[in-house]
Amino acid sequence: MKNILITSAGKRVVLVQIFQQTLKDLGLDAKVFTTDMRPMMAPACIVSDKGIKVSPCTADGYIDELIQICRNENIGTIIPTIDPELMIMAQNRPRFSEIGVEIVLSDEDFIGACRDKRKTQRYLLDIGIEVPKAVDKYHPTFPMFVKPYDGSLSTDIHVVHNQRELTQEMLENPKFMFMEYIDQNEFREYSVDLYFGKDHCVKGIVPRERIAVRAGEINKGKTHKNEIVDFLKDKMGCLPGVRGCICFQLFYRESDHQIIGSEINPRFGGGFPLTYHAKANYAAYIIQEYLLHETVDYSDKWLDNTMILRYDNDIIIYNAE
């Protein structure tokens, strides 16, 4: 039985534990390895079966290091977790395939569409999903929302309520997108975890309301089996080049079921543990498809109204070097 490698593991302790527990539940003798630039300072590396030091994902030798790790540790499947490495990994997929390693990751075109939020909007419109309307920054309507097209973790975002708040720095920033503000008194914000099989068709759709957010990740959330599920199954049932778990952020108005798409992260989202605890185990889907070479069918047998309330926890290391 080959092993799983989760790259750039960092603080993704629960994700590592989910894969470890799922392997145990399936009765499989496989391990979960992790990589990080500083594995002894990365909690997920501490709880994994082995944490391995690597160079930054942007370094020239990064892929060579991963390939050597795959050979040394009998890796069969790689799960990337951070945005900067996704395109690099997708571009080097053939090198891993040559040594019998599969990456749970979408194709380059889809990753490119997700990483540039201008392309994300065009992609969503092409598949029939509404997006926030663009605002002319020189003839603006207020309130409006301003964010960088390549941002992440909800950094450098602004709600501009009037002309005084629209600074020259914002106007001159070439990375900023200007769009209508979606009133959160009317719309609820959701992250939706979708799993796409090797056949590029969706196998699971779990909407989770973002009740409270901290550092760009859900801090309090709740699953809802509502109109979002059928809507996304219709619009995103099969998407060429899409594989594995993706996290789709959207706004939903319950009064008329209007859905407005916002962003897509082509990887596990930080709130995936809520989806797992709601009994939609995408880790099991990955193990079945990529390690056991089984077919996964679509399932909606997950638990409605499951809530997550997050808190900080500690990992203590004695005699740390």
Side-chain angles (χ1 to χ4, degrees), residues 129-192:
I129 297 177
E130 184 180 350
V131 299
K133 296 178 178 62
V135 172
D136 182 349
K137 63 183 179 181
Y138 297 113
H139 301 89
T141 54
F142 301 102
M144 68 175 177
F145 191 63
V146 181
K147 67 179 180 181
Y149 66 76
D150 61 350
S152 62
L153 299 176
S154 299
T155 57
D156 208 13
I157 62 174
H158 309 270
V159 179
V160 181
H161 298 91
N162 52 55
Q163 191 69 49
R164 292 191 306 275
E165 295 179 1
L166 183 59
T167 67
Q168 194 64 31
E169 183 180 6
M170 291 181 194
L171 292 172
E172 293 176 356
N173 190 323
K175 289 192 172 185
F176 274 171
M177 300 169 61
F178 299 79
M179 62 192 71
E180 67 172 323
Y181 173 70
I182 306 301
D183 189 348
Q184 295 191 31
N185 292 317
E186 295 183 29
F187 288 82
R188 294 182 182 181
E189 188 176 5
Y190 279 78
S191 290
V192 185

Side-chain angles (χ1 to χ4, degrees), residues 57-159:
C57 65
T58 53
D60 289 341
Y62 179 68
I63 297 298
D64 291 332
E65 291 179 34
L66 289 185
I67 287 173
Q68 191 57 51
I69 290 168
C70 290
R71 287 182 170 135
N72 293 345
E73 308 295 349
N74 190 31
I75 301 298
T77 303
I78 298 178
I79 301 165
T81 65
I82 63 169
D83 293 333
E85 71 179 344
L86 299 182
M87 186 62 78
I88 298 164
M89 297 289 279
Q91 291 169 342
N92 285 277
R93 190 191 306 274
R95 293 190 61 190
F96 290 94
S97 296
E98 287 174 2
I99 61 169
V101 176
E102 295 186 273
I103 306 174
V104 186
L105 183 63
S106 299
D107 287 350
E108 295 174 46
D109 288 347
F110 183 72
I111 293 170
C114 296
R115 294 291 292 132
D116 185 330
K117 294 176 177 59
R118 299 166 300 184
K119 294 180 180 179
T120 306
Q121 291 198 329
R122 290 194 291 271
Y123 183 90
L124 292 174
L125 289 171
D126 286 344
I127 62 174
I129 297 177
E130 184 180 350
V131 299
K133 296 178 178 62
V135 172
D136 182 349
K137 63 183 179 181
Y138 297 113
H139 301 89
T141 54
F142 301 102
M144 68 175 177
F145 191 63
V146 181
K147 67 179 180 181
Y149 66 76
D150 61 350
S152 62
L153 299 176
S154 299
T155 57
D156 208 13
I157 62 174
H158 309 270
V159 179

Side-chain angles (χ1 to χ4, degrees), residues 25-37:
D25 292 343
L26 293 172
L28 300 177
D29 184 20
K31 292 186 166 99
V32 180
F33 295 99
T34 53
T35 63
D36 200 88
M37 291 188 296

